[in-house]
Amino acid sequence: MAFNDIDDQTRATIEADLAEAAGRGINGSPADIVGSFEAELRDYLALPLDVRRAYPRGETARIYGTALGESLVREGFAWRLLVDDFGADLVVARDPEGPDEKYLAPLVVVDQRFEDEEPGKLTAFLGQFL
């Protein structure tokens, strides 16, 4: 497992997603962003099943995940690319490979909350992570 710096293309993608998040009013502290996502998830779960199939889950998870990651960057984390035997993931990390190593793949974590089909789990996760 190795943490690598992100390249310019990845940074440009992050910036584009952050612009989209800002346009949707998704910003602030990690708790603010998670709270916004929990409200969005409640709205998603209230949709009829046939409408849910057309919902842009991937895009929504990417936008919220990027906003969450950037809010953690403002609190001392850094965007990194984590490469291991299973592939590569965009993560935010603090003290990578050090004694206080902590990292999170925010896009994956947010996307997984759609699978839970229950609001509140991202809030609980963030509380445990921080």
Side-chain angles (χ1 to χ4, degrees), residues 41-100:
L41 182 60
R42 281 190 292 281
D43 291 345
Y44 165 78
L45 293 172
L47 296 171
L49 289 176
D50 61 328
V51 177
R52 281 195 217 172
R53 285 193 271 288
Y55 186 86
R57 277 182 39 170
E59 175 187 340
T60 301
R62 189 185 78 246
I63 299 302
Y64 275 98
T66 303
L68 177 59
E70 191 67 19
S71 71
L72 291 168
V73 166
R74 290 191 299 269
E75 295 196 4
F77 287 77
W79 286 107
R80 298 280 200 229
L81 190 63
L82 175 63
V83 180
D84 61 18
D85 293 340
F86 302 103
D89 284 307
L90 184 60
V91 302
V92 290
R94 183 171 56 203
D95 194 25
E97 302 173 16
D100 297 321

